[in-house]
């Protein structure tokens, strides 16, 4: 068959990295990214981009660990290259602190990040409200530059990008052989997924270049993540809230909470407020499906529903989605050769 045509719907970190993995594993494919929004207007642009996994209750832990390991290894290699600054990726050390010791002193990802250990009593004095902590080094993605870096890599492979709102995956059946759904929260409408719901996140991006270490409260609500140019302060987890408008009361609350962990932030300048809707479900939807109408078939691969863990898992799930696309293409080629017989 001629070069198989693959459409990837969605241009956040999941869509772009999935498209890139497809070009790497199936170089004969023609890949097109379709999205109504590209950077800097995606949910991924708002994300803090810290590689600290969030657990999906509906996905086996060994699968989550594999996705995280693959993502960490991929970004670690970039952080060790001449492209680290352009891609917005760097190593950062810091602490995750708890008011009470968690059930699991060693999270499933503790041997993937670097130098994971329990905090000493002397270190914990920095956080008088907290009684237990973990220290480690992980990777931080500055999201807008990383998305632009992914786009640049995709363009170099010949991939096409078009601004287009896809209302129904079936509308693509006459143009493409395989469609990949990376629509994030948009998948709720696009494929009618009732298990998918938004978790609203409001964050502050501030200028505080003296803050060098990340600090994360173990409840996951309050965090300070230093990037290359700005520090991300968070946050909120508001289930089923669709509002993209910043709330001034929430801004003050986030700032106060972060200052209680790192009092020097009172001197932070140039505070910008961002809001994003995390596409959340019990487990990432990563599977093949065949849509059919009137005797015609359209192979689809779904890769969405990463919630707050998109950056931590993106490369691992993109590799799996690309493998599924390869299976779809092999099945199409098999049916074509059988038809010729």
């Amino acid at each position: 068959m001629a070069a198989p045509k693959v459409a990837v719907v969605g241009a956040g970190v999941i869509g772009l990295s999935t498209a890139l993995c497809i070009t790497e594993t199936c170089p004969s494919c023609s890949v097109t990214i379709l999205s109504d929004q590209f950077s800097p207007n995606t949910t991924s642009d708002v994300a803090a981009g810290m590689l600290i996994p969030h657990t999906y209750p509906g996905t086996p832990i060994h699968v989550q660990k594999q996705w995280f390991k693959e993502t960490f290894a991929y970004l670690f290699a970039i952080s060790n290259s001449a492209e680290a600054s352009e891609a917005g990726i760097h190593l950062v050390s810091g602490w995750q602190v708890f008011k009470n010791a968690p059930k699991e002193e060693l999270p499933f990802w503790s041997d993937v990040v670097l130098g994971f250990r329990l905090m000493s009593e002397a270190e914990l004095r920095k956080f008088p409200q907290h009684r237990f902590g973990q220290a480690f080094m992980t990777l931080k993605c500055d999201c807008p530059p990383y998305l632009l870096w992914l786009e640049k890599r995709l363009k170099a492979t010949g991939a096409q990008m078009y601004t287009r709102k896809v209302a129904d995956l079936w509308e693509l059946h006459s143009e493409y052989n395989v469609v990949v759904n990376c629509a994030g929260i948009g998948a709720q409408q696009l494929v009618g997924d009732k298990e998918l719901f938004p978790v609203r996140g409001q964050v502050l991006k501030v200028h505080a270049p003296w803050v060098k270490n990340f600090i994360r409260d173990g409840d996951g609500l309050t965090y300070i993540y230093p990037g290359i140019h700005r520090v991300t302060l968070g946050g909120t987890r508001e289930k089923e809230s669709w509002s993209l408008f910043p709330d001034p009361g929430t801004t003050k609350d986030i700032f106060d909470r972060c200052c209680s962990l790192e009092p020097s932030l009172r001197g932070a300048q140039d505070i910008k407020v961002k809001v994003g809707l995390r596409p959340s479900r019990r487990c990432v939807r990563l599977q093949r499906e065949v849509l059919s109408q009137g005797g015609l078939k359209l192979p689809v691969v779904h890769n969405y529903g990463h919630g707050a863990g998109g950056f931590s898992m993106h490369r691992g799930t993109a590799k799996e989605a690309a493998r599924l696309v390869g299976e779809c293409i092999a099945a199409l080629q098999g049916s074509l050769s059988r038809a010729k017989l």
Side-chain angles (χ1 to χ4, degrees), residues 2-233:
K5 292 183 174 178
V6 179
V8 177
V9 179
V13 69
I14 303 301
L16 295 179
S17 52
T18 299
L20 190 57
C21 281
I22 295 166
T23 66
E24 291 164 2
T25 58
C26 183
S28 65
C29 283
S30 142
V31 177
T32 302
I33 298 100
L34 305 172
S35 184
D36 57 340
Q37 299 288 354
F38 284 82
S39 185
N41 301 313
T42 73
T43 299
S44 298
D45 284 282
V46 179
M50 278 294 283
L51 266 73
I52 301 176
H54 296 254
T55 307
Y56 302 103
T59 303
I61 288 293
H62 73 273
V63 174
Q64 298 184 53
K65 184 167 183 176
Q66 184 61 29
W67 291 343
F68 182 56
K69 276 176 80 168
E70 288 175 352
T71 305
F72 196 94
Y74 179 71
L75 292 180
F76 185 71
I78 299 169
S79 78
N80 246 355
S81 76
E83 295 187 50
S85 173
E86 185 191 349
I89 296 165
H90 63 116
L91 285 162
V92 57
S93 296
W95 306 281
Q96 178 163 253
V97 291
F98 299 81
K99 294 192 169 69
N100 298 296
K103 283 196 203 95
E104 292 179 332
E105 290 195 356
L106 291 177
F108 75 82
W109 43 265
S110 60
D111 59 344
V112 180
V113 297
L114 307 180
F116 186 97
R117 60 181 175 78
L118 302 186
M119 284 168 68
S120 67
E121 282 186 31
E123 280 175 297
L124 276 166
R125 283 188 205 120
K126 177 167 170 59
F127 308 102
Q129 312 293 315
H130 296 75
R131 309 211 324 244
F132 180 88
Q134 302 153 338
F136 54 95
M137 179 184 279
T138 189
L139 288 152
K140 162 92 171 69
C141 256
D142 280 15
C143 304
Y146 182 59
L147 295 176
L148 292 176
W149 182 84
L150 287 171
E151 284 187 17
K152 183 176 158 186
R153 294 287 297 268
L154 277 162
K155 284 171 185 163
T157 72
Q160 303 289 310
M161 293 182 205
Y162 298 110
T163 302
R164 172 173 167 180
K165 173 127 181 99
V166 178
D168 181 346
L169 295 179
W170 188 256
E171 75 187 51
L172 304 174
H173 86 276
S174 60
E175 299 168 72
Y176 300 96
N177 303 107
V178 182
V179 172
V180 188
N181 169 20
C182 299
I185 197 64
Q188 196 195 60
Q189 257 197 316
L190 184 62
V191 295
D193 187 340
K194 302 283 190 290
E195 292 177 49
L196 185 68
F197 58 93
V199 175
R200 182 182 180 277
Q202 181 167 320
V203 297
L204 318 182
K205 308 269 183 177
V206 307
H207 185 68
W210 60 88
V211 176
K212 304 293 186 196
N213 297 94
F214 75 82
I215 304 167
R216 182 180 192 272
D217 194 302
D219 66 10
L221 269 187
T222 306
Y223 49 83
I224 299 160
Y225 295 151
I228 295 171
H229 303 294
R230 301 180 77 74
V231 182
T232 300
L233 309 183

